Amino acid sequence: MGLLKIYSKLMLLPWRSLPQCVAVGRCAASSGPDSVWKFVPPSSSVDRCSLEQLQAFVSQASRLFVLTGAGISTESGIPDYRSERVGLFARTNHRPIQHTEFMHSSKARQRYWARNYVGWPLFSSHLPNSSHYALRDWAEKGKVHWLVTQNVDALHSKAGHQRLTELHGCSHRVVCMGCGQLTVREEMQKHFAELNPGWEASPGEVAPDGDVLLEDEQVLQFRVPSCQSCGGILKPAVTFFGDMVDHATVQFIHDRLAEADAVLVAGSSLQVYSGYRFLLAASDRRLPVAILNIGPTRADHLAELKVTARCGEVLPILSAS
């Protein structure tokens, strides 16, 4: 079936029917349709001209470099931080923990881990949506040369994407800041439960990094383990706000970008420099850039094509040929 025929059939469906056929696709979030769409920013349907232009952009690329952000995971039920009205900043004024605060304050670590412990069962249960699977399929067909995600939710990995760098790390791993030993986060959950028998707290909303909103008095008795090998501080293997991405990781991504012939941004406002820098590098290399995102981005002026739409509305119906 041709692209325009697919598009025409989809436009006959009311948007609320799309979670089953397009926007969530093969694997919806376990928390159900209502909670999934709670975090998806409002957006009008993509127009035919924009869809045709994006299809042409993808078709002309043979080594596509893809950069994804929180907007690709909202349709799996994970909120983003910055979207107007539905972003976590806008709705709750919640601010993620800072790296320096975590490293220098035992109280901050106690608060963070208690909240993360409560939020982990839900956060870890989220499943990929059709956007993750579409990009995985493109990679298997040789269209995507490399994918970089700013997300720490592991949804690209769960979808089976292989040629992947998690720019800010992954919340499914824990690292000792003393000896560097890595632990699977699920094992840490069992350790937390053993240290805190009978402890419980009513969770608030789960943030994009797995954190939840709890009152300070709820976490006063929560016990936090140290590294069993060296006694060091245990931290999610993610880049907290105020920290820097490992230089070797950045250089590796620049090397993959140098091998690409086009760049696609999917679901990111690019407000954080750690991701935006690769758009600046793409501009320096005169690589064509397309952006698929709801709302403005920091790199709109660098893109030859900007499509304002949900990732799940567009990516699954584009052809990788």
Side-chain angles (χ1 to χ4, degrees):
M1 184 180 291
L3 175 65
L4 293 183
K5 289 183 178 179
I6 295 173
Y7 177 84
S8 298
K9 291 187 71 174
L10 291 175
M11 291 305 100
L12 294 175
L13 297 170
W15 177 250
R16 276 293 174 181
S17 70
L18 291 182
Q20 284 73 43
C21 64
V22 176
V24 175
R26 278 172 279 183
C27 215
S30 58
S31 48
D34 291 340
S35 57
V36 168
W37 292 100
K38 173 182 177 182
F39 303 121
V40 180
S43 174
S44 58
S45 294
V46 62
D47 64 274
R48 179 175 298 184
C49 180
S50 295
L51 193 63
E52 291 175 339
Q53 290 177 328
L54 187 56
Q55 177 63 81
F57 179 91
V58 172
S59 296
Q60 291 167 9
S62 60
R63 298 184 306 280
L64 190 61
F65 178 98
V66 179
L67 176 66
T68 69
I72 204 168
S73 293
T74 55
E75 293 169 50
S76 288
I78 299 177
D80 66 0
Y81 281 117
R82 294 181 174 81
S83 293
E84 294 183 11
R85 290 185 285 171
V86 299
L88 201 63
F89 287 168
R91 288 179 293 105
T92 67
N93 200 36
H94 173 72
R95 292 296 184 271
I97 192 168
Q98 298 289 312
H99 177 78
T100 300
E101 180 186 12
F102 184 91
M103 293 301 299
H104 290 91
S105 169
S106 60
K107 289 292 185 183
R109 292 194 294 275
Q110 180 190 47
R111 183 173 62 251
Y112 175 86
W113 277 121
R115 290 156 57 149
N116 188 273
Y117 171 71
V118 173
W120 179 252
L122 175 58
F123 180 77
S124 61
S125 71
H126 288 296
L127 299 174
N129 61 61
S130 60
S131 295
H132 299 97
Y133 285 113
L135 292 173
R136 188 278 311 274
D137 291 346
W138 291 10
E140 291 182 348
K141 294 174 181 177
K143 174 62 66 174
V144 176
H145 175 65
W146 204 261
L147 185 144
V148 176
T149 184
Q150 300 169 90
N151 302 334
V152 299
D153 52 35
L155 293 187
H156 285 293
S157 294
K158 287 183 179 182
H161 204 115
Q162 298 295 316
R163 299 176 65 81
L164 164 72
T165 297
E166 295 166 320
L167 178 62
H168 297 142
C170 180
S171 59
H172 288 249
R173 298 185 293 271
V174 177
V175 62
C176 172
M177 302 304 289
C179 66
Q181 178 174 297
L182 287 173
T183 305
V184 176
R185 176 63 182 82
E186 195 61 40
E187 292 301 314
M188 285 292 300
Q189 192 75 356
K190 298 174 184 177
H191 196 181
F192 281 129
E194 292 168 356
L195 281 177
N196 298 280
W199 184 90
E200 60 181 27
S202 300
E205 185 172 311
V206 182
D209 58 359
D211 192 13
V212 298
L213 306 181
L214 297 178
E215 300 298 329
D216 287 346
E217 58 268 20
Q218 293 178 281
V219 308
L220 293 178
Q221 304 304 316
F222 189 79
R223 297 179 61 193
V224 178
S226 299
C227 175
Q228 294 181 332
S229 296
C230 75
I233 294 172
L234 296 176
K235 174 182 171 291
V238 303
T239 302
F240 281 169
F241 280 74
D243 194 12
M244 297 182 66
V245 177
D246 176 69
H247 175 74
T249 299
V250 174
Q251 185 57 55
F252 177 86
I253 295 172
H254 275 300
D255 291 343
R256 302 293 77 73
L257 179 65
E259 298 163 352
D261 61 359
V263 175
L264 172 65
V265 176
S268 177
S269 64
L270 298 167
Q271 292 303 311
V272 178
Y273 179 76
S274 59
Y276 176 62
R277 74 177 107 199
F278 300 114
L279 274 297
L280 295 175
S283 178
D284 290 341
R285 293 181 176 278
R286 300 186 182 278
L287 293 176
V289 173
I291 297 176
L292 171 61
N293 189 64
I294 299 174
T297 82
R298 191 177 180 182
D300 284 353
H301 66 290
L302 301 176
E304 69 174 40
L305 175 61
K306 169 68 183 298
V307 178
T308 300
R310 298 177 173 98
C311 293
E313 181 185 8
V314 174
L315 294 178
I317 61 172
L318 294 178
S319 171
S321 60

